[in-house]
Amino acid sequence: MLQKTYTVDFLTKKRVVNNGIVPQYYVENNHEAIIPREIFMQVQEELVRRSRGHISTSGKKRNFSSNHVFSQIIFCGECGEIYRRVHWNNRGKKSIVWRCVSRLENTGLTCHSRTVLEDMIGLATVDAINKLIGQKDGFLTILKENIETVISETDNNIVSEIDKKLEELQKDLLRLANSKEDYNDIADEIYRLREERHKALAEEAGKKGSKQRLEEMEKFLNEQSTLLEEYDEQLVRRLIEKITVYDDKLTIEFKSGVEVDV
Ligand SMILES: [Zn+2]
């Protein structure tokens, strides 16, 4: 970091620690990253993607500790809130159901959406996955095309070119700073480029993420030759991103982006 201390008295050359009174500049990439930058950005992308899906229409973040495969992925088609797991005891008849949070607590939204039996949701996921397997060839063609599109749109050179420029600018900055010359313009340019690089990295990570999700689906469809006969929790975790409950159907969105109504 440059400008860690600054001179308070030019006669005595007394310097004190700079607590933000004059601008400070960090020099980046002077040592190896603890986490490779690429992995860091991929994790960031995944976090953003997940949090997007999990913020309900009322803007509240629903973060239940439940690890159930359906928690955080079932949404209400009417009010947009998340569905929550409930143990129901209806005149002695026990069942596990999922209900919209707006019907369980005050979310500020009036909702009439239906209550669904957990077993029914499980069967709907089987139906949805089987629909994909049943139309395997068509989906594989689409997946392949989508993967190719992602690849063709990915330009790996943007980031490395920015890095090259940044390295040069940092050298200039250090040289100017060491010879006590003004380096404000260069520092500004460095900040601008860092922002640009951050954007480019996020974009790159986003593309890498969607490519991986497409390939995962492709892999599954290639492996799976027969229809599923029963509910498979692992497959739900692996393939399904979101389930939206409507009066007359469930819409199941796969991680690859494909949607199926059941
Ligand atoms: Zn609702």
Side-chain angles (χ1 to χ4, degrees), residues 76-81 83 100-103 111-113:
C76 174
E78 185 182 328
C79 78
E81 272 294 346
Y83 262 55
C100 175
V101 149
S102 297
R103 305 200 58 187
C111 186
H112 315 86
S113 69

Side-chain angles (χ1 to χ4, degrees), residues 70 85 95-98 116-126 231:
F70 294 144
R85 193 169 197 245
S95 52
I96 297 171
V97 296
W98 287 75
V116 273
L117 282 167
E118 185 165 279
D119 289 345
M120 202 277 279
I121 305 169
L123 290 176
T125 64
V126 175
Y231 171 65

Side-chain angles (χ1 to χ4, degrees), residues 2-60:
L2 298 176
Q3 287 286 27
K4 241 181 183 161
T5 61
Y6 66 100
T7 309
V8 282
D9 186 334
F10 288 91
L11 291 175
T12 61
K13 299 272 187 289
K14 187 187 170 209
R15 295 179 74 82
V16 297
V17 173
N18 178 8
N19 290 321
I21 292 166
V22 299
Q24 297 177 325
Y25 302 102
Y26 284 96
V27 175
E28 283 191 337
N29 292 337
N30 257 357
H31 48 78
E32 238 170 275
I34 297 164
I35 306 170
R37 195 179 54 199
E38 199 181 285
I39 291 173
F40 175 79
M41 292 309 292
Q42 260 178 284
V43 172
Q44 296 301 306
E45 188 265 338
E46 184 67 14
L47 288 176
V48 168
R49 199 176 66 84
R50 284 191 196 170
S51 69
R52 248 202 315 261
H54 300 153
I55 294 171
S56 58
T57 43
S58 64
K60 280 182 207 147

Side-chain angles (χ1 to χ4, degrees), residues 123-152:
L123 290 176
T125 64
V126 175
D127 280 356
I129 294 169
N130 279 342
K131 270 195 185 178
L132 288 192
I133 299 170
Q135 302 167 49
K136 190 172 165 166
D137 294 342
F139 276 120
L140 279 170
T141 313
I142 296 168
L143 285 171
K144 221 169 234 121
E145 280 168 12
N146 289 348
I147 292 169
E148 274 159 24
T149 308
V150 174
I151 292 171
S152 71

